[in-house]
Amino acid sequence: LDMRLHIPLITSSQAFFVFANRPPFQLPADGSLYWVNTLEYHSVFNGHQADDRLHLVFSTGAKALEDYLPFLKNQWLIQD
């Protein structure tokens, strides 16, 4: 397992990510790139038999949140 980046291309109003200890959520197909911490226990629920769900998924190889710190600091997304 690792952390992944998702670009939802096609989704359904009945498709949800489900993580332990948090409410289900959706990733809209709005052209955005989403960072998903798939190191946590999770599943995806596609609740409509006819609606397709298609995501472009990038595997990062990161095994812990700390693996992202150099990148985030370099991009000015977090400060020391």
Side-chain angles (χ1 to χ4, degrees):
L1 292 177
D2 62 355
M3 295 181 200
R4 297 191 178 141
L5 302 171
H6 283 247
I7 301 175
L9 302 175
I10 300 171
T11 193
S12 163
S13 62
Q14 300 301 312
F16 297 90
F17 276 85
V18 180
F19 282 79
N21 302 317
R22 69 176 71 188
F25 63 92
Q26 297 176 303
L27 297 180
D30 62 3
S32 296
L33 176 69
Y34 295 92
W35 175 37
V36 181
N37 184 357
T38 53
L39 293 173
E40 296 180 25
Y41 291 111
H42 72 284
S43 187
V44 175
F45 176 76
N46 194 11
H48 195 280
Q49 66 184 20
D51 287 350
D52 291 329
R53 178 181 166 269
L54 177 65
H55 287 206
L56 185 58
V57 180
F58 299 90
S59 181
T60 65
K63 301 297 182 194
L65 288 173
E66 294 77 25
D67 293 344
Y68 281 103
L69 292 179
F71 169 78
L72 295 173
K73 287 180 182 178
N74 189 44
Q75 299 301 315
W76 301 294
L77 298 174
I78 63 170
Q79 298 178 9
D80 288 325

